[in-house]
Amino acid sequence: MTTPESLQIPTDLLPRDGRFGAGPSKVRAEQLAALVDTGTSYLGTSHRQATVRNKVGEVREGLTALFNLPDGYEVLLGNGGTTCFWDAATFHLVAEHSQHLSFGEFSSKFASAVKDAPHLSDPEIITSETGTHPRAVAREDVDLYALTHNETSTGVMMPVERPAGASGLVAVDATSGAGGLFVDPRQFDCYYFAPQKSFASDGGLWLALCSPAAVERIESLAASQRWTPAFFDLKIALDNSRLNQTYNTPALATIHLLASQIQWFNENGGLEFSAGRSRRSAEILYTWAEASDFATPFVAEPAERSHVVGTIDFVDQIDAALVAKVLRRHGVVDTEPYRKLGRNQLRIAMFPSVDPEDVASLCACINYIVGNL
Ligand SMILES: *Cc1c(COP(=O)(O)O)cnc(C)c1O
């Protein structure tokens, strides 16, 4: 009898690269090779000197090109990842009162950070059922609208749009969406992310594409009486970013891997190319799930099904955790669902680095496992 422990997936069905995790995500071999190729000239050198600062400059210019940023938009960066940026935003982006669309683990966290900040008023938090997204509502007293381009915990994506008639800043957590989803920079004031998802680098860094209005907000809050720890001070980050530096020492490998990925996107056609790859992968995944008699897309509304992180529910008779375990034994890793969602589900990242053909192979592997257990 075939047991989950003895089941062997035929080698020719396996994806060429088995990394489907939502972050840290697949790093392309070419990125790693480019880093190794630097030999003794990059790693282990000062981040205050030209070698590294030019690399940071390459990242900032590369992102400006990739997102087609209008004049006056600036690329800021600092250490600490997205979670750190949320805290920084409570000091230097939210003036007084914010509105948050909360529809999963990640979007709820920024809302909590604001709620806990003693110097801000209680935020307005708009929620929706798991597997959907709420809509922002323009209000006179809201000075920042907090959106999330892609809710990584549930696999729901939403369009980035300024709420009609709103005057407040639009800040978007694009940690998993940036690079893998289309966006019009005129629709946001701050589009922030970390590089361990679509940008196929490592964690620990944050990047923020800021409109002139966002820069002005940072400058005016920094000039106010509000006490701000230096690590969360976005004015310090702004001043350092303009010099292609970070406030404190960054991870140089992270910056190099990130620069390689941005270059790969830009050389192949920019966001059209990178988001196009994720869109193609998503088409393969959801088409397979819809045709399957044991799997269905978790997100009911097709337009809200993420192109970068797909969530697939399984019927009760099939244990998704067991499927993930068999996959893992074959080197196909990190398809487990977001732990706190608690569903009989697989979660599959389809960031631009992931080959759409590998997503097709993954679907074939799942069919094989289910058919042979
Ligand atoms: C991964 C993720 C985060 C957390 O990023 P860190 O860099 O680990 O802090 C935040 N928001 C979203 C949408 C994410 O996908």
Side-chain angles (χ1 to χ4, degrees):
M1 203 189 93
T2 312
T3 65
E5 289 73 32
S6 69
L7 180 71
Q8 283 301 326
I9 304 173
T11 317
D12 61 337
L13 285 188
L14 292 171
R16 273 175 301 173
D17 195 305
R19 291 173 291 178
F20 294 98
S25 64
K26 176 183 170 186
V27 177
R28 290 176 306 110
E30 293 82 356
Q31 290 171 272
L32 208 50
L35 178 61
V36 170
D37 278 351
T38 61
T40 58
S41 68
Y42 178 79
L43 288 182
T45 71
S46 169
H47 62 298
R48 305 284 178 214
Q49 297 299 326
T51 309
V52 175
R53 285 173 65 181
N54 289 346
K55 202 41 90 177
V56 172
E58 206 181 300
V59 164
R60 295 179 66 235
E61 283 159 28
L63 290 173
T64 303
L66 180 66
F67 290 97
N68 208 357
L69 296 182
D71 278 354
Y73 277 56
E74 295 192 58
V75 179
L76 275 59
L77 73 165
N79 285 313
T82 295
T83 304
C84 173
F85 189 79
W86 287 327
D87 287 329
T90 67
F91 288 103
H92 281 165
L93 270 187
V94 182
E96 180 61 40
H97 186 55
S98 53
Q99 178 184 98
H100 300 253
L101 302 190
S102 175
F103 54 111
E105 182 65 15
F106 292 105
S107 46
S108 73
K109 278 188 171 164
F110 183 27
S112 302
V114 170
K115 204 159 184 278
D116 293 344
H119 54 279
L120 299 174
S121 71
D122 264 358
E124 180 185 8
I125 300 174
I126 307 178
T127 59
S128 70
E129 224 176 293
T130 314
T132 68
H133 70 77
R135 269 153 241 282
V137 182
R139 297 196 201 285
E140 202 117 302
D141 62 343
V142 167
D143 59 69
L144 182 139
Y145 296 86
L147 317 184
T148 300
H149 203 173
N150 184 77
E151 179 44 78
T152 319
S153 63
T154 60
V156 171
M157 65 176 186
M158 64 173 290
V160 172
E161 282 164 7
R162 291 185 187 277
S167 60
L169 299 181
V170 172
V172 185
D173 177 357
T175 307
S176 57
L181 301 178
F182 284 103
V183 71
D184 173 0
R186 283 167 191 81
Q187 298 295 329
F188 63 71
D189 294 294
C190 181
Y191 191 74
Y192 60 91
F193 50 93
Q196 71 273 24
K197 307 202 179 177
S198 283
F199 290 97
S201 182
D202 249 333
L205 193 73
W206 59 258
L207 296 121
L209 319 180
C210 293
S211 74
V215 171
E216 200 180 295
R217 176 73 61 84
I218 290 168
E219 283 176 332
S220 72
L221 287 174
S224 72
Q225 294 303 306
R226 182 177 288 176
W227 173 77
T228 303
F231 197 63
F232 301 124
D233 190 318
L234 291 177
K235 176 70 167 80
I236 291 179
L238 173 68
D239 293 342
N240 276 281
S241 300
R242 284 173 172 167
L243 299 170
N244 292 332
Q245 298 188 75
T246 48
Y247 174 53
N248 64 323
T249 316
L252 304 194
T254 301
I255 290 168
H256 202 280
L257 294 168
L258 166 62
S260 290
Q261 186 76 340
I262 295 168
Q263 187 185 15
W264 184 57
F265 290 170
N266 281 334
E267 283 178 357
N268 286 282
L271 218 45
E272 194 74 46
F273 165 76
S274 60
R277 281 175 64 87
S278 294
R279 190 184 50 218
R280 176 76 195 114
S281 290
E283 193 183 318
I284 292 167
L285 181 74
Y286 297 126
T287 303
W288 161 77
E290 288 210 301
S292 166
D293 53 9
F294 60 84
T296 41
F298 165 54
V299 177
E301 172 55 50
E304 297 177 358
R305 288 176 190 157
S306 170
H307 292 177
V308 280
V309 179
T311 43
I312 303 295
D313 274 349
F314 283 64
V315 294
D316 290 345
Q317 297 89 317
I318 311 287
D319 181 0
L322 200 62
V323 174
K325 221 169 145 180
V326 175
L327 287 168
R328 183 172 286 281
R329 194 158 49 72
H330 289 81
V332 180
V333 301
D334 301 339
T335 60
E336 290 83 4
Y338 192 75
R339 58 210 144 80
K340 286 190 201 155
L341 202 57
R343 295 188 71 89
N344 186 31
Q345 176 176 99
L346 293 186
R347 181 175 65 153
I348 293 145
M350 303 172 288
F351 297 124
S353 286
V354 172
D355 279 322
E357 304 86 74
D358 277 351
V359 173
S361 300
L362 172 63
C363 296
C365 287
I366 297 171
N367 285 346
Y368 186 88
I369 294 169
V370 171
N372 287 277
L373 273 187

